[in-house]
Amino acid sequence: MADRVTISVDALGGDNAPGVVLEGVEAALADDADLEVILCGPAEVVEPFAADHDRCSARATTEVIGMAEHPANAVRKKKDSSIVVGCRLVKEGEAQGFFSAGSTGACLAAGTLVIGRIKGVSRPALATILPSPKKPVVLCDVGANADCKPEYLVQFAIMASAYATKIIGVKNPTVGLLNIGEEEEKGSQFAQEAHALLKQSSLNFKGNAEGRDTLKGEFDVIVCDGFTGNVCLKTIEGTASVLLGELKTILKSSLKTKLAALAIKGGLKDLLGRLDPDVAGGAPLLGVKGACIVGHGSSNARAIKNGVLASASYVRSGVSEVIAQTIQ
């Protein structure tokens, strides 16, 4: 696969767009000499930026999909929106991947309806990498499919395993099913049926993973329905935010604790780096043709940069091709 990669980017994606998007794209272009970007958005935003930056071209659009709009309806109606146009560039082969920090629902709808599913994939799924102390853990699905059939989770596990192998470098990743107990018969009827199907599959399935196991690193991949996965992810993010906030308050409370903070400064910096969602930049929509990476709505320029670079890395690693081969 050639190193040169073209990524279409939604210039209007995120709470702080277009400013942070332009700043992030500029940083990504500076960091990756083999990256090309097609910036999608209003002409007055994308054209001056493209004129001033090598390896960046502009694709002017006239419509915007807002965060509060119904995702699928907006994607169908607003065909000249930055999200739809960005995804269409992937479908038509002008770009190999798409990145946006805009409406997650709209990105998922456009990724599925416009870019299109890999043949054999029933439902594309969002994956994220959790910062376990032992090793990274891939959690999938984290929001694309609130309602699932048990057999979908087998495909989620196949796709997430391919992602773990190609992006993290894990050979024959172990798979766990997020459940309320370790025993095979635990959980809802849905969970029990999914467990049986995963057990029968050729995956390296190691049984149920409880909520407390998600960050332990006992599994390389943990699968669940998108509703459960999104609640789990947001709980982890919220807990980390509260604990780090409390830790900072304690360390600043007296001269003694300030001195202690200086003593552990290196360790704290490393911990904060591993817990920082801006490092990943976004979550990939597994199961679509090409790359579709969705960033946080509150993304800053650093997160945008990392999201664009992650999109290029996803393309170069050939994750979609591996998923296609495995599913078929």
Side-chain angles (χ1 to χ4, degrees), residues 8-14 17-18 21 25 38-42 46 61 63-65 81-84 86 98-103 107 304:
S8 57
V9 177
D10 173 16
L12 300 180
V21 177
V25 168
I38 304 176
L39 200 56
C40 304
V46 300
T61 61
E63 295 177 303
V64 182
I65 295 179
S81 63
S82 52
I83 290 176
V84 173
F98 169 70
F99 172 78
S100 174
S103 164
C107 290
I304 297 294

Side-chain angles (χ1 to χ4, degrees), residues 131 133 244 247 265-276:
L244 288 173
L247 180 60
K265 183 178 180 181
L268 280 175
K269 187 176 181 180
D270 178 65
L271 174 63
L272 290 170
R274 285 190 283 116
L275 295 176
D276 188 355

Side-chain angles (χ1 to χ4, degrees), residues 90-151:
V90 179
K91 178 181 176 60
E92 295 174 352
E94 290 188 58
Q96 290 81 55
F98 169 70
F99 172 78
S100 174
S103 164
T104 298
C107 290
L108 299 181
T112 303
L113 298 173
V114 180
I115 297 177
R117 291 176 290 165
I118 291 170
K119 185 178 180 180
V121 171
S122 299
R123 294 288 188 278
L126 273 177
T128 192
I129 298 177
L130 301 177
S132 163
K134 279 188 179 180
K135 57 185 178 181
V137 177
V138 178
L139 180 64
C140 182
D141 179 23
V142 292
N145 304 277
D147 298 303
C148 290
K149 295 180 180 179
E151 54 266 32

Side-chain angles (χ1 to χ4, degrees), residues 191-214:
Q192 292 177 36
E193 291 179 13
H195 187 287
L197 291 173
L198 286 163
K199 188 177 180 180
Q200 294 166 10
S201 74
S202 59
L203 292 157
N204 189 11
F205 181 59
K206 297 298 183 181
N208 289 332
E210 295 186 74
R212 63 188 178 192
D213 298 323
T214 52

Side-chain angles (χ1 to χ4, degrees), residues 209-244:
E210 295 186 74
R212 63 188 178 192
D213 298 323
T214 52
L215 297 180
K216 287 183 177 180
E218 301 295 333
F219 302 88
D220 296 306
V221 171
I222 296 177
V223 294
C224 55
D225 63 272
F227 181 91
T228 303
N230 192 267
V231 171
C232 179
L233 177 62
K234 296 295 175 59
T235 301
I236 291 171
E237 290 177 343
T239 302
S241 177
V242 171
L243 289 179
L244 288 173

Side-chain angles (χ1 to χ4, degrees), residues 9 18-37 39 49 52-56 99 278 300-310 312 316:
V9 177
V20 296
V21 177
L22 301 182
E23 188 179 342
V25 168
E26 183 176 53
L29 288 167
D31 197 69
D32 187 343
D34 291 313
L35 171 68
E36 295 185 1
V37 168
L39 200 56
F49 181 88
D52 290 338
H53 293 81
D54 293 335
R55 293 180 283 115
C56 181
F99 172 78
D278 293 343
N300 56 26
R302 179 166 166 261
I304 297 294
K305 168 198 167 184
N306 289 332
V308 175
L309 293 176
R316 290 186 178 114

